[in-house]
Amino acid sequence: MTRILVVDDDPGIRSLLTDVLEMEGYEVSVAVDGLAAVQAVEAAAPDFVILDVMMPGLDGFAVLSAIRAQGGEPVPVLMLTAAAEPGTNARAWADGVDYYLAKPFTADAVLDLIDGVLSQQVRVSDL
């Protein structure tokens, strides 16, 4: 089963994403802050990470840096943010994020992106 880690300090967003992803058959784990996210990535080896930017403790950029510092095949990361600063988007791309969505977002947009990315990975690995 495909494992997705949802990292967000907003319980409503965590719940929405968890419900939608589990209904689609994904195994979902959650982290409520950056430190818990780094620990979850190391422990659970998710296939995909949905990552908030603004969180207490380690922000999303620090978590992304920790994810990218790990060896092995890079895990795809979708960064979600309500940050309105113009440099946030550019910094995310420069730091190695794979996908970026601004809040508010629709659950369908997130699901379509994840389904597309993971189905492409399966096809490539089947070759």
Side-chain angles (χ1 to χ4, degrees):
M1 182 178 285
T2 303
R3 296 174 312 275
I4 298 179
L5 173 62
V6 174
V7 184
D8 202 302
D9 59 331
D10 182 322
I13 291 175
R14 285 193 315 268
S15 178
L16 168 71
L17 290 172
T18 298
D19 290 348
V20 168
L21 293 167
E22 285 179 343
M23 285 187 341
E24 290 297 316
Y26 293 110
E27 179 183 323
V28 180
S29 57
V30 297
V32 299
D33 61 35
L35 183 58
V38 171
Q39 293 169 343
V41 167
E42 292 171 355
D47 299 300
F48 197 98
V49 176
I50 302 173
L51 179 61
D52 186 20
V53 173
M54 297 183 299
M55 296 180 290
L58 296 176
D59 67 8
F61 295 111
V63 175
L64 179 60
S65 178
I67 291 171
R68 292 297 177 241
Q70 293 184 336
E73 188 70 25
V75 61
V77 176
L78 165 62
M79 194 168 265
L80 296 175
T81 183
E85 298 86 34
T88 302
N89 186 323
R91 181 177 176 197
W93 293 118
D95 286 359
V97 77
D98 299 291
Y99 309 96
Y100 184 93
L101 282 177
K103 293 177 184 177
F105 59 89
T106 65
D108 286 340
V110 172
L111 189 58
D112 289 347
L113 190 144
I114 292 169
D115 287 344
V117 169
L118 295 175
S119 68
Q120 180 110 27
Q121 285 180 340
V122 169
R123 277 188 249 135
V124 169
S125 66
D126 288 343
L127 297 176

